[in-house]
Amino acid sequence: MLALFENPRLRGGVHAEEHKVETSGLPIATDMPLPKKLYIPVQQHVGKPAEPLVKVGEKVLKGQLLAYSQGTISAPVHAPSSGTIADVLDFPAPHPSALPIRTIVIETDGLDQWLPLQAPDDPLSLPAEEICALVGAAGVVGLGGAVFPSAVKLDLGRKNKIQMLLINAGECEPYLTCDDRLMQERAGEIVTGIRLMLRGMHAPEATVGIEDNKPEAFIAMREACAEFANINVVQVPTRYPMGWDRQMLRYLTGREIPADGRATDIGVVIHNVATAHAVYKAVCLNQPLISRVVTVSGGAVAEPKNVEVLIGTLMSEVLDFCAADKSRVARLIMGGPMMGDALPLSEVPVVKACNGILALSEQDIEIPEVKPCIRCSTCVTACPVGLLPLEMASRIRASQLDAAVDLGLKDCINCGSCSYVCPSNIPLVHYFKFASGELYKRQQMEHKSEQTKRLIDDRNQRMERIRLEQEAEARRVMEARAARAREQELAKLKAQQAQQSISEPTDIATAEEVR
């Protein structure tokens, strides 16, 4: 509690068991064998899925475009290695539902041959628009988990004339150390990526926020930024969920993003530190985003480590590389244990959003007995958003979803802090996830109802228009018939008159002859 009063900018949060020491001191493994097959989903980002442009049987090179982006909010995908397109099919997605998603399958040839690349001579002198174009063409998305197309954020930053670029290097989730190792080993490349982002947005300065449990990464980044006065490296307290962008922004700037707003509304754009490295590779090397560093850990993993993994590699192969005992895996998680997704199977591909693969054993996921709420308000203190988790949960249990929404349900980030600190072991975050799902279903039903009503209204309008057109056509037909009838009658009358005019002189002549 004293820490809360000492740091008014730091709201809520918990000190979760870190489990980072197992991997934070080991270098990134870059020697994983090339998989025989790669499974590349066309939907690895927020927005519309990419559209495949390759055909089965086609030869592709490493870095070659496989599917192009559709619209502004989209991102292309590229070949992580050379080989042959074996299939374009529906394959299980790395999601708790494991529902199939359109996927391009590459049968690798073992050559790992790159497409010829042309890197710019002086990347830091490129115009802002060209930097954004290169980032977009490389398929770079937010690698902190949001997977929002990075080029779009750079464009928004430039258009909104932002004042600060905030690099989120918190990595607050337990077990995960991929960003930590990336900063320790590739700090110079990350800083170059940050400078490119600043140029792409015309932003004057950048701040890198690193939790104070990463001293080696902090030192490496500070040394890499020493000659750049407009890039500040700052340590922040180690407290989950410090990696949440709004928490990081509030602590570093003292400003808060409006509930329904964006960071750009207060002059800030936030990017993950791994995204900055991907920007460096996209602009300086002209390399698309085809691999990423993934933390592989958990009680069932004999050799936990950070591994540079090609996008599309099956998670089962990554676990084999780290000597995981699959018979001991009680829960498989993509991401961190607090906000990651529990997966039903390991035969799913690594995607751009995958920063961790956790194979947890029974000992790791011991579930204590749930007890009645004692109204201690510990969950209220822990909530980083400032909500009332116990009150929201009670409304949800009573099926009062609207009341839960009034209490701020839609602002909940599902970080799990409330569940983690609850002395009664109540899975509060499960209630919120359930309620969010129910609200989504309700919105879908309302949307479907509105769409049905609109279709009915459109049909009624269409039928009314058809009726009016038919009536107008019937009137035209009747008028045409009446006009033809009048013309026929007039023609008949004229014919009779003509006949009479011919017959009258003849009758007169005959009468004179008789006389």
Side-chain angles (χ1 to χ4, degrees), residues 226-239:
E227 57 182 298
F228 306 111
N230 62 336
I231 303 179
N232 304 309
V233 182
V234 182
Q235 282 190 315
V236 299
T238 299
R239 181 177 295 183

Side-chain angles (χ1 to χ4, degrees), residues 453-463 465:
K453 182 178 180 298
R454 180 177 59 80
L455 290 174
I456 292 173
D457 291 342
D458 290 346
R459 181 183 182 278
N460 290 338
Q461 293 176 7
R462 186 171 65 254
M463 296 302 294
R465 186 172 64 253

Side-chain angles (χ1 to χ4, degrees), residues 405-470:
V405 171
D406 292 339
L407 289 172
L409 176 62
K410 291 184 177 180
D411 293 323
C412 175
I413 62 172
N414 295 324
C415 67
S417 295
C418 53
S419 299
Y420 186 85
V421 300
C422 179
S424 297
N425 303 314
I426 300 173
L428 294 165
V429 72
H430 292 183
Y431 287 107
F432 307 146
K433 288 182 178 180
F434 166 78
S436 297
E438 290 298 306
L439 287 174
Y440 179 75
K441 286 168 58 179
R442 180 191 294 181
Q443 291 173 356
Q444 291 294 100
M445 291 297 295
E446 290 176 354
H447 175 72
K448 185 176 180 180
S449 177
E450 292 174 359
Q451 191 175 25
T452 302
K453 182 178 180 298
R454 180 177 59 80
L455 290 174
I456 292 173
D457 291 342
D458 290 346
R459 181 183 182 278
N460 290 338
Q461 293 176 7
R462 186 171 65 254
M463 296 302 294
E464 178 66 15
R465 186 172 64 253
I466 292 173
R467 184 184 67 80
L468 294 175
E469 290 176 353
Q470 288 177 343

Side-chain angles (χ1 to χ4, degrees), residues 86-256:
D87 208 343
V88 179
L89 46 69
D90 289 335
F91 194 78
H95 185 269
S97 66
L99 290 172
I101 188 172
R102 202 175 187 191
T103 303
I104 300 172
V105 183
I106 297 178
E107 188 172 338
T108 59
D109 56 14
L111 301 176
D112 206 33
Q113 182 180 358
W114 272 98
L115 182 76
L117 302 176
Q118 292 183 347
D121 295 329
D122 187 5
L124 290 167
S125 66
L126 294 174
E129 293 77 10
E130 190 170 347
I131 290 174
C132 293
L134 287 172
V135 171
V140 178
V141 298
L143 297 181
V147 291
F148 191 85
S150 299
V152 178
K153 291 181 73 172
L154 294 177
D155 281 330
L156 286 174
R158 187 173 65 256
K159 292 175 182 176
N160 285 275
K161 299 181 180 179
I162 63 111
Q163 298 302 310
M164 176 190 288
L165 167 63
L166 177 56
I167 298 298
N168 188 344
E171 197 172 42
C172 58
E173 277 269 12
Y175 290 96
L176 303 185
T177 61
C178 52
D179 289 350
D180 184 3
R181 288 307 311 180
L182 200 62
M183 288 186 285
Q184 291 186 50
E185 300 181 31
R186 306 172 188 176
E189 297 175 354
I190 292 171
V191 172
T192 300
I194 294 172
R195 295 174 65 198
L196 289 166
M197 286 179 169
L198 288 172
R199 185 170 180 82
M201 293 187 293
H202 295 157
E205 63 175 344
T207 298
V208 183
I210 306 174
E211 281 192 335
D212 55 18
N213 63 348
K214 305 173 181 62
E216 295 85 359
F218 173 74
I219 292 171
M221 288 295 294
R222 187 176 59 182
E223 290 178 351
C225 295
E227 57 182 298
F228 306 111
N230 62 336
I231 303 179
N232 304 309
V233 182
V234 182
Q235 282 190 315
V236 299
T238 299
R239 181 177 295 183
Y240 177 86
M242 182 56 77
W244 178 40
D245 55 358
R246 297 189 179 217
Q247 182 87 313
M248 181 74 75
L249 176 61
R250 185 193 305 120
Y251 184 82
L252 290 176
T253 68
R255 288 175 281 178
E256 192 160 0

Side-chain angles (χ1 to χ4, degrees), residues 1-8 239:
M1 291 294 294
L2 290 176
L4 293 178
F5 290 106
E6 292 170 1
N7 297 302
R239 181 177 295 183

Side-chain angles (χ1 to χ4, degrees), residues 387-407:
L387 304 178
L388 303 173
L390 71 167
E391 296 295 338
M392 291 196 302
S394 66
R395 302 300 191 280
I396 294 167
R397 280 196 296 267
S399 299
Q400 299 174 359
L401 296 186
D402 291 333
V405 171
D406 292 339
L407 289 172

